Amino acid sequence: MTRQKVKMAFIENESSRKATYKKRKRGILKKANELATLCGVPVGVIIDSAYELSPEVWPSREDMNKVVSRWHSLPVMDRTKKMVNQESYLQQRISKETETWKKLTKENKELEMKEVMFDCLSGKTSPSHIERSDLRGCGNVIEQYLKNLNRRIEILSKNHDGASSSSLHAAAATTSLAMPLVEMGSSSTALCDMIRQQQIQSNMNQTVRGLDLNQQQW
């Protein structure tokens, strides 16, 4: 039987709330003891509850005073640099998850554009059928592939001056694993030009529609 996830909300039933308090308090004190014993660090816990006549201090008031005194002796910068409240903690988590989401969205978009590019090169689709919103992204992917190929050819040419011909053939064979066609440069350039033409045509059509609307208004 799987463990049921606890809902992080105030427990309305008083008896259930009290039982949960006692259980959670034992767990916190156990973890504090383990941390102090295993890692040899000073740990102090103060629990102030409506179910106790006075605040409970662990492990003792003397040890707690030592921990607090040591903390007060630290510079203000050291005391506050890692302090967070619930609001700042949630903001940090939201920012981190937002950055992760943006990164994944970008990666997924690049993979989608690569698939479109491969389909165009293999003849499964035509640049004229690509959505207008995807034209720029597909063109950027193609240009990046061309830059990587040219950079690879330049590096091989510099490293193998005496055998440039065989090196270029080896580079073409290696890069053919990443692209569906061996004749990558000319095909990609042609495809990139076609996509640019589609973008230009779309912009011209939009401009013409705007002029027509202005003429109708006049």
Side-chain angles (χ1 to χ4, degrees):
M1 184 176 178
T2 58
R3 186 175 180 180
Q4 192 175 11
K5 187 176 181 181
V6 178
K7 183 180 179 181
M8 286 293 108
F10 180 74
I11 301 174
E12 298 291 342
N13 186 277
E14 186 174 357
S15 59
S16 298
R17 187 168 64 249
K18 186 174 181 179
T20 301
Y21 163 77
K22 291 182 178 180
K23 179 182 177 181
R24 299 282 175 168
K25 185 183 74 171
R26 287 195 301 268
I28 288 177
L29 296 180
K30 180 182 177 181
K31 291 297 181 182
N33 183 44
E34 291 175 355
L35 180 63
T37 303
L38 297 174
C39 303
V41 295
V43 179
V45 180
I46 299 177
I47 301 177
D48 188 10
S49 167
Y51 304 114
E52 308 287 348
L53 295 177
S54 60
E56 184 171 353
V57 181
W58 185 93
S60 65
R61 291 185 179 274
E62 291 77 13
D63 292 329
M64 175 58 73
N65 288 333
K66 292 178 182 178
V67 173
V68 174
S69 298
R70 181 177 178 180
W71 183 77
H72 278 298
S73 65
L74 295 173
V76 177
M77 184 67 69
D78 293 338
R79 277 187 285 170
T80 58
K81 65 180 179 181
K82 292 186 178 180
M83 289 179 64
V84 293
N85 54 25
Q86 187 176 16
E87 181 180 0
S88 59
Y89 172 77
L90 290 176
Q91 288 176 346
Q92 291 176 5
R93 293 295 303 172
I94 292 172
S95 300
K96 185 177 180 180
E97 294 300 327
T98 301
E99 290 300 321
T100 302
W101 171 77
K102 288 181 179 179
K103 182 180 178 181
L104 292 175
T105 302
K106 182 180 178 182
E107 292 176 356
N108 290 336
K109 188 65 176 178
E110 289 178 354
L111 290 174
E112 183 182 350
M113 292 301 99
K114 288 179 182 178
E115 185 176 355
V116 172
M117 178 183 65
F118 292 150
D119 289 344
C120 290
L121 291 172
S122 61
K124 292 181 180 180
T125 187
S126 171
S128 59
H129 295 154
I130 301 177
E131 295 291 337
R132 181 184 172 189
S133 58
D134 295 336
L135 288 173
R136 186 181 299 276
C138 191
N140 292 337
V141 170
I142 294 173
E143 289 179 357
Q144 186 60 47
Y145 263 96
L146 290 174
K147 288 180 182 178
N148 293 339
L149 285 171
N150 291 331
R151 190 181 302 114
R152 178 65 176 166
I153 291 173
E154 289 177 5
I155 292 174
L156 290 174
S157 298
K158 291 179 181 178
N159 292 342
H160 304 280
D161 251 351
S164 59
S165 177
S166 59
S167 297
L168 287 174
H169 283 303
T174 302
T175 51
S176 65
L177 297 175
M179 305 300 293
L181 298 177
V182 176
E183 304 253 342
M184 180 70 193
S186 60
S187 300
S188 298
T189 303
L191 179 58
C192 195
D193 290 339
M194 293 175 69
I195 290 176
R196 287 198 185 96
Q197 290 297 326
Q198 292 288 332
Q199 290 177 335
I200 293 172
Q201 187 63 40
S202 297
N203 292 335
M204 290 178 64
N205 292 338
Q206 186 176 7
T207 303
V208 170
R209 286 197 298 269
L211 291 173
D212 292 341
L213 290 174
N214 290 334
Q215 288 177 357
Q216 291 175 6
Q217 291 176 357
W218 283 103

